[in-house]
Amino acid sequence: MTKSILRACAVAALSVASHAALAQADTAAVDRNAELVVGWGEPVDTLNPATTGARDVGPLDVNMFDTLVWLTPDLKITPHLAKSWTLSDDGKTYTFELRDDVTFHDGTPFDAAAVVANIDYITDKDTQSNIGLNLLGPCKSAKATGQYTVEITCAQPYAPLLAQMGEPYLGIQSPAAIKKWGKDLGLHPTGTGPFEFVSYTPNQSVVVKRNEKYQWGPAAVGHAGPPDIAKITFQIVPNAQARVAQFQSGQSQIMQETPGIFWKALSPQTSRYTSLSVPITGMGIFAPINASKWPTDDVAVRRAIMYAVDREGVIKLAEAGVYPVNNTPLVKEVFGHDPSLEDMYPFDPDKAAETLKAAGWTKPGEFWEKDGKQLTLKLTAISTVSHYPLIAQAIQGYLRKAGMNAEVEQLATPAWLAANIHGDMSLTPLQYIAVDPDALHLWFLPDQYFNWSHYTNPELTDLINKGQQETDPDKRAKIYSDAQRIIMEQAVMMPIRENIDLVMMSNKLTGVTYSGGGFEYFGAASLAK
């Protein structure tokens, strides 16, 4: 027996998208030979969806790979490569009925065996899958029960699976390509998506072309058949000013990760440009606070940090004030977000001081002290992402005003990761993308790679484990509300702001949208002649 699957995510309208950006162009005015240049903000680690760990690779992959389900911008789960699905009564087996008219870019037919090959590839320890393996959770067994019917079985009930199957990190790859290219698969991405891979030049560009055979796009997007755009060059331009100059000169028609100050300057120029704010769902921009190392092993210090930092002020100082503040572990678009937690730590320097005094800290001079040691904090920031050092420096300013001797250390990626993993920091700003509240398990369960707060709590662990298995939406929401309350009461993460990709476009470009989670999609885009 089966029962209809329960939606894993709340449907919450995302109103930030520009109507002009989402509108379809007049068919008669569309240039079917158009070649689009996109100013892309971040380098690529790999184009292999199973092994990438980068947010900015997700939008590249969503245009080359299809997923079993499609997530709309408001996180509604809709059909894609899977026409329908059911969940067994014990909550452990998902059965997908697949489309029978799909082929990979290399001509390999898509079927249940291809899905099985992908699950086997992701779960193979030699693959060293990154986000993809985490998204599968305990659901690591797949079996073809017919040519176009596949079962994915979980070791225990796992409510987040269906929504997470819509993330591009679980994009379905050609089994023939997996076998042929092996560890070089990331240099030969082969999916079923609206665009086919052409070339990748490290630190310079990714080029894709229209998949002329594409007839199976997600119905939710509202575009039938192959894309209108013939070719896309994602020009990798990490320097923000260079990316803006490229766009303003007309060398690119769309710019990703528009810096806040330029977003403010360019947005009013409606005769030349249109804008699209892409909400990146999950945990927003936040900072794990290290609960295992002095002085932030003292909960009073962690709470004082929360009171001492004006998040709105940080955003104004670091990013021209263009982003909304976020005050909760999960952003508002994600199921389980609890608005009652938003006012738990208002900006209150006096409260920060009271909290420290009550815990035995004294302030004989400029900085707080306890047991003969000065309250010194180490803020690490990854140097390759320009806004993180700016955020860290803005936070540093507020902490120093509150009597905490905060120091900022900018680190290259390997050193930054090592510092976070080994707890050699007090806090560090970063992001995490997710479409389900189960994202919390990666950050707060024992022995998880991303437990960079180095905090464990049996009650919190129990709640997160229950949340993974609960399918009743009301009960699940209560579980995650309780979990987030513990996280906030213990002050083991500082929410900072909503995570939004500010996209600026030529007014000739229309139909750009994004899949749920915040991944720009060009399969329905058009460029006017």
Side-chain angles (χ1 to χ4, degrees):
M1 294 178 62
T2 60
K3 60 184 178 182
S4 297
I5 192 72
L6 293 168
R7 260 186 57 190
C9 297
V11 177
L14 304 179
S15 61
V16 293
S18 163
H19 293 295
L22 297 176
Q24 288 293 323
D26 182 351
T27 304
V30 168
D31 183 0
R32 290 279 298 170
N33 295 314
E35 296 187 2
L36 181 67
V37 177
V38 183
W40 204 248
E42 302 293 338
V44 171
D45 57 351
T46 173
L47 292 169
N48 182 342
T51 59
T52 183
R55 181 269 156 188
D56 286 288
V57 173
L60 304 179
D61 281 346
V62 81
N63 288 284
M64 292 186 284
F65 298 93
D66 292 322
T67 47
L68 292 187
V69 301
W70 176 263
L71 291 180
T72 64
D74 58 4
L75 297 180
K76 182 180 179 181
I77 304 166
T78 65
H80 196 6
L81 292 180
K83 299 185 295 184
S84 61
W85 47 86
T86 54
L87 176 62
S88 62
D89 286 338
D90 65 3
K92 295 182 180 180
T93 301
Y94 292 79
T95 301
F96 295 91
E97 298 295 331
L98 308 176
R99 296 186 65 120
D100 61 4
D101 59 348
V102 178
T103 56
F104 289 96
H105 299 152
D106 61 2
T108 302
F110 166 77
D111 54 16
V115 176
V116 173
N118 273 261
I119 300 300
D120 289 347
Y121 172 69
I122 293 169
T123 56
D124 187 329
K125 64 180 182 180
D126 290 336
T127 300
Q128 296 185 326
S129 178
N130 195 312
I131 296 174
L133 184 63
N134 283 323
L135 294 177
L136 289 177
C139 309
K140 296 180 170 60
S141 174
K143 178 176 69 174
T145 57
Q147 186 174 1
Y148 297 104
T149 305
V150 64
E151 291 181 353
I152 297 179
T153 301
C154 312
Q156 61 189 39
Y158 189 59
L161 179 68
L162 190 60
Q164 291 176 174
M165 293 297 291
E167 292 198 43
Y169 308 106
L170 290 178
I172 303 298
Q173 306 192 67
S174 163
I178 292 173
K179 185 175 181 180
K180 178 178 180 180
W181 298 112
K183 293 188 181 299
D184 292 329
L185 186 61
L187 299 174
H188 304 276
T190 310
T192 64
F195 293 94
E196 299 182 36
F197 174 74
V198 174
S199 66
Y200 166 52
T201 304
N203 298 315
Q204 293 186 35
S205 66
V206 176
V207 181
V208 298
K209 66 179 182 179
R210 176 170 53 222
N211 179 1
E212 300 289 355
K213 298 179 181 178
Y214 198 66
Q215 298 291 340
W216 47 85
V221 171
H223 179 90
D228 292 328
I229 303 291
K231 180 182 177 182
I232 304 177
T233 299
F234 295 92
Q235 201 75 44
I236 300 170
V237 188
N239 182 279
Q241 290 188 334
R243 199 161 62 251
V244 171
Q246 178 196 49
F247 177 70
Q248 288 185 297
S249 67
Q251 296 175 63
S252 65
Q253 294 77 46
I254 178 170
M255 172 173 51
Q256 182 236 17
E257 293 188 6
T258 306
I261 190 169
F262 291 105
W263 177 263
K264 278 190 168 183
L266 298 177
S267 291
Q269 300 182 36
T270 53
S271 61
R272 296 184 62 191
Y273 309 127
T274 56
S275 58
L276 177 65
S277 297
V278 179
I280 302 171
T281 59
M283 297 170 66
I285 303 296
F286 68 101
I289 303 178
N290 187 354
S292 69
K293 181 180 179 180
W294 191 90
T296 48
D297 57 349
D298 183 345
V299 67
V301 173
R302 300 197 300 270
R303 289 170 178 163
I305 289 170
M306 298 285 275
Y307 287 121
V309 176
D310 180 2
R311 295 161 184 77
E312 186 173 345
V314 167
I315 298 165
K316 287 180 180 178
L317 287 168
E319 300 170 302
V322 298
Y323 299 101
V325 170
N326 180 52
N327 289 314
T328 55
L330 297 171
V331 298
K332 63 180 182 295
E333 293 86 2
V334 175
F335 176 82
H337 165 75
D338 186 350
S340 73
L341 303 175
E342 290 181 358
D343 298 324
M344 184 173 287
Y345 292 101
F347 173 50
D348 191 339
D350 291 338
K351 183 69 173 177
E354 290 172 11
T355 302
L356 290 171
K357 285 180 182 177
W361 290 84
T362 61
K363 194 168 181 284
E366 182 179 2
F367 300 115
W368 292 92
E369 295 180 2
K370 188 175 184 180
D371 299 330
K373 292 191 292 185
Q374 186 183 87
L375 202 168
T376 300
L377 303 172
K378 179 179 177 180
L379 282 64
T380 58
I382 186 170
S383 60
T384 54
V385 182
S386 59
H387 56 277
Y388 289 149
L390 296 176
I391 291 172
Q393 289 162 8
I395 292 173
Q396 175 192 32
Y398 282 104
L399 293 175
R400 290 184 68 87
K401 286 179 183 178
M404 305 180 207
N405 186 14
E407 301 171 349
V408 174
E409 185 173 351
Q410 295 188 41
L411 301 170
T413 301
W416 178 75
L417 289 171
N420 298 333
I421 293 166
H422 299 301
D424 187 23
M425 53 79 176
S426 302
L427 63 157
T428 186
L430 44 78
Q431 66 173 333
Y432 190 75
I433 300 93
V435 298
D436 188 272
D438 186 47
L440 296 177
H441 97 263
L442 297 169
W443 294 90
F444 298 106
L445 288 191
D447 302 321
Q448 288 292 321
Y449 177 85
F450 288 116
N451 189 345
W452 292 348
S453 62
H454 301 274
Y455 173 79
T456 59
N457 177 314
E459 183 183 0
L460 179 59
T461 298
D462 183 60
L463 286 167
I464 292 174
N465 287 333
K466 286 179 178 177
Q468 292 181 337
Q469 300 183 45
E470 181 58 63
T471 56
D472 181 278
D474 292 336
K475 292 179 181 178
R476 197 161 187 252
K478 178 62 166 60
I479 288 169
Y480 283 109
S481 174
D482 292 344
Q484 290 172 87
R485 186 166 295 278
I486 292 173
I487 291 166
M488 293 297 286
E489 287 175 346
Q490 292 299 311
V492 287
M493 69 171 284
M494 176 194 291
I496 300 171
R497 67 161 172 85
E498 293 183 19
N499 194 5
I500 300 173
D501 190 359
L502 302 177
V503 178
M504 192 65 63
M505 298 175 287
S506 162
N507 61 8
K508 293 184 177 181
L509 180 64
T510 57
V512 178
T513 185
Y514 53 93
S515 66
F519 305 100
E520 291 88 344
Y521 180 76
F522 297 97
S526 301
L527 196 62
K529 295 179 180 178

